[in-house]
Structures are given as structure tokens and as C-alpha cells.
Amino acid sequence: MIPYGRQDITDEDIAAVEAVLRSDFLTQGPAVPGFERALASYCGAAHGVAVSSATAALHIACLALKLGPGDRLWTSPNTFVASANCGLYCGAEVDFVDIDPQTYNMSVAALEAKLVKAAAEDRLPKVVIPVHFAGQSCEMREIHALGQRYGFRIIEDASHAVGGRYLGEPIGNCRYSDITVFSFHPVKIITTAEGGMALTNDSKLAEQMERLRSHGITREPATMAWESEGPWYYQQIELGYNFRMTDLQAALGHSQLQRLDDYVARRHSIAARYDEAFEGLPLTVPHQHPDSRSALHLYPIHLTNVAARRQVFEALRSKGVGVNVHYIPVHTQPHYRQLGFRVGDFPASERYYAGAISLPMFPTLTPAQQDEVIATLKGLLA
Ligand SMILES: *Cc1c(COP(=O)(O)O)cnc(C)c1O
């Protein structure tokens, strides 16, 4: 089976992890801050806070922005459940903004319309989480301008988008957001097995996220509630978690980062080859917005005949093409229906989902494998 995504692990990666295994620290050593500095510097952000997953990063990002009971968080329905669950972890109310049918990202027009209505009803969100679907940036300049006007904070869920660019600058520089979150799950662009990072330019947010990933404990006398009792002393000044990344993971991520630009370039040549091969077929290839250079985490096609999606999907799988579907709209999940959402609430995301198939897309996909994917799909749609 050709998978839809897979990691690339080199001898350099293995050597980097082995070096940590032979060192004094498996966790809480120098590899974590080394990886944080390297990725923050790559992105042009002031601070990086490495954690155990992007889910953990989203959670502490929401906490750092003081999201709590009585507050509202809005995100895209076309995402992995984690982008919405972080609001529920904090006791906030979660709602969604429908997608743009071309980019499959949160629609700026839908966001603005929903804000106008929410302002009239005094139900404005405290936090909005745009998701850079498939690695393509949302229209962050416009979303940021709405944030200024309506007073919400912004967390970019860039789980798909490390190595991508927006308006000529790296995604992750937080020019138009408070915090940007990356995922390093093996199917994503670079991996630490499990892992994530929150980037920010705000030193107060960074300091608080560092504390929240490790129980809410501080060893800094200046942040203690009262005077330190000695060099051994620490204080838990708020409720945090153990969301730490290990040094093994950080060393792997730092080593992978050296190849990030090559990975994204390779993904672009794979996409260009798919785009060309599918010309004239009854499907839509992923639209590339001119303001964005996508990291191309995914290559989602949309079948014109949505009624054939299940059959085409099953036939591809049975012929060894490991396709997937991104995403089942989050508001249609049983847990969210229990909260009152219904099929029909966000029709653009539902229409997109009905015809979506993610084709194999990863840097070590060989031309021969790609030819097989193309020929199999063409055979099915003929
Ligand atoms: C993968 C993913 C996450 C969660 O990442 P983990 O590192 O697995 O916790 C969150 N949001 C989106 C959009 C994702 O694709």
C-alpha cells in the first residue's frame, strides 16, 4: 500500500537521537531549547515553546490567552477535532465559521458576517483559530484586521503548514496572530514522532506557556508568590500539565528541520505533477491562493460526482493506493452534535467533505509510485 503520508528518517536523524541517548539528559536537557531556538529563528518568531503534541500546544495557547468558562472560541469545521477540543478543555463554548469553497480555509466573508451578528447579540468570540488547511495559509491579514475591530485573539493552527509562506514571509512569524501552533506527528511536514510547538512574539505568553507545559511550576524568584526559601525552592503558581517534549524528540525535530525546505520543494513538484496529470478529469485539484506558498501537507482532490466518492475511495484502497479523507466536518461528530450542532450548519464544509479524497503526498513518494496513483485514479474515473 502506498500511504497518503509518511515520515522520512535519515541516518543523520538516527545519529542525532542516538547522541541524546548517550548523553546526560533524555528530557529537560539542552536539545529542547536548541530545537525551539532553531525553529523560532527559521520562522522569524521571538519564542518557541516545544510540547508533547500540537493538541497540547493548542490547549496551553488557549489557557495563556485566558480562555475560560463563559468565553467563546471559533474555528473552522474543516479540521482535525483538536482545533476545536482545545476550547472545550478550557470550559469555553466552541463554534465554527464555514469555509471558502475554493481554498477550503475559514472564509473571511463568513467570519465577518458572523462577527456582525455576534456583536449585535453580545456574543463575540475571545479566540479565533484559523486552520491552514493542507498547508495553505488562511487570509491572515484580513482575519487580523477583523481581530483588531472585534477584539478577539488569534491562534494559527499551522499543524499542516511548517515551511509554508504567506505574503512572502514564513508561516509561524506571528505577524498576524498571537500564537502559531505546529504539529510534528509523523504524517506532518517534519516529525518528532509525537510533538508540537507554540510560537509567539510575546514574551509574557511564552513564559506562561513554558510554565503551563510543566505543572504551572516556576523556579524564578521574581515570579514567585513570596520570597524563595533557597536554591531548591520552586512554587506552583497556577494549574499546569506535563506536556513536555523529550530531548530525544527535540533532537529528531532539529535534525529534520535541516531538510524542511527540501521537503516542501519536493511536495511542490509532486503537486505540480498531479495537477498536470489530472487536467480534464472530473475533479477539482487544490487551489493555490496567490498570497500563499503552501507547505502542501495534503493533496486533496474533490470529485465532481460526489456520489462516486465512496466507490472511488474503496477502489483506490483495494488497488494499493492508501488514500484518506480530510476532514469530516467537526460539527457533525457525535460529541459536537450533543452540544447542539446539526448537519447543515456549515454547508460549504459539508459539500467539500462529500467529494474529498486526499491522495498520497510525502517527500519520498517516488515517480513510479506517483504514476501508479495517477493511472489507478484515471482508470477509475474513465
Ligand atoms: C494533526 C493536527 C492537530 C493535532 O496534532 P497532534 O500533534 O497530533 O496533537 C491539530 N490540528 C490539525 C489541523 C492537525 O492536522
Side-chain angles (χ1 to χ4, degrees), residues 53-55 58 79-80 82-83 131 157 159-160 183 185 188 195 327:
S53 66
T55 304
L58 289 164
T79 187
F80 185 56
S83 320
V131 180
D157 185 344
S159 291
H160 299 180
S183 171
H185 183 276
K188 307 286 167 71
Y327 282 100

Side-chain angles (χ1 to χ4, degrees), residues 64-338:
L65 294 176
K66 307 276 183 280
L67 186 76
D71 295 328
R72 290 171 203 86
L73 176 147
W74 292 1
T75 188
S76 168
N78 183 34
T79 187
F80 185 56
V81 292
S83 320
N85 288 345
C86 55
L88 301 182
Y89 297 154
C90 298
E93 199 181 294
V94 169
D95 202 351
F96 302 92
V97 178
D98 210 353
I99 61 170
D100 175 318
Q102 253 199 321
T103 62
Y104 316 139
N105 276 333
M106 178 183 283
S107 156
V108 173
L111 175 61
E112 184 162 17
K114 197 176 174 91
L115 287 165
V116 169
K117 190 158 174 280
E121 295 168 355
D122 199 18
R123 294 176 53 80
L124 283 168
K126 183 164 197 174
V127 171
V128 172
I129 305 190
V131 180
H132 302 324
F133 178 70
Q136 169 158 261
S137 179
C138 296
E139 292 162 82
M140 292 310 303
R141 198 177 32 188
E142 290 77 7
I143 293 172
H144 179 258
L146 290 170
Q148 298 287 305
R149 180 144 28 112
Y150 290 95
F152 58 80
R153 312 292 294 269
I154 300 171
I155 302 168
E156 296 174 67
D157 185 344
S159 291
H160 299 180
V162 67
R165 300 175 78 83
Y166 173 65
L167 292 173
E169 295 181 354
I171 292 176
N173 69 1
C174 302
R175 182 182 294 281
Y176 301 106
S177 63
D178 296 286
I179 297 167
T180 300
V181 166
F182 293 132
S183 171
F184 310 124
H185 183 276
V187 299
K188 307 286 167 71
I189 309 277
I190 58 171
T191 191
T192 61
E194 296 281 358
M197 199 181 293
L199 286 88
T200 184
N201 292 321
D202 181 326
S203 56
K204 286 250 172 335
L205 290 177
E207 191 186 299
Q208 208 197 346
M209 291 193 290
E210 277 171 24
R211 210 159 48 228
L212 287 166
R213 81 171 156 192
S214 202
H215 308 281
I217 283 174
T218 183
R219 292 176 184 277
E220 289 292 326
T223 47
M224 288 183 185
W226 55 80
E227 206 174 319
S228 170
E229 295 174 10
W232 65 88
Y233 197 63
Y234 61 83
Q235 279 186 348
Q236 185 193 342
I237 59 170
E238 63 191 323
L239 184 61
Y241 300 84
N242 181 349
F243 284 161
R244 292 189 302 261
M245 177 181 277
T246 67
D247 278 47
L248 298 165
Q249 293 168 303
L252 176 56
H254 201 156
S255 178
Q256 293 249 315
L257 179 58
Q258 314 308 312
R259 300 193 301 284
L260 175 54
D261 290 337
D262 296 340
Y263 283 159
V264 174
R266 179 78 194 112
R267 286 171 181 275
H268 274 267
S269 51
I270 293 168
R273 209 149 163 262
Y274 275 144
D275 286 352
E276 198 186 318
F278 298 150
E279 258 174 51
L281 291 189
L283 57 81
T284 307
V285 299
H287 170 77
Q288 300 303 316
H289 192 286
D291 288 347
S292 163
R293 176 175 157 83
S294 177
L296 282 166
H297 164 52
L298 299 172
Y299 188 89
I301 57 166
H302 189 264
L303 300 184
T304 309
N305 177 13
V306 299
R309 195 267 301 267
R310 181 167 184 163
Q311 190 202 333
V312 171
F313 185 97
E314 286 176 346
L316 284 165
R317 280 259 179 113
S318 75
K319 290 172 192 295
V321 179
V323 286
N324 218 316
V325 169
H326 301 90
Y327 282 100
I328 304 163
V330 177
H331 68 282
T332 68
Q333 294 289 352
H335 187 75
Y336 282 86
R337 290 203 209 188
Q338 271 176 36

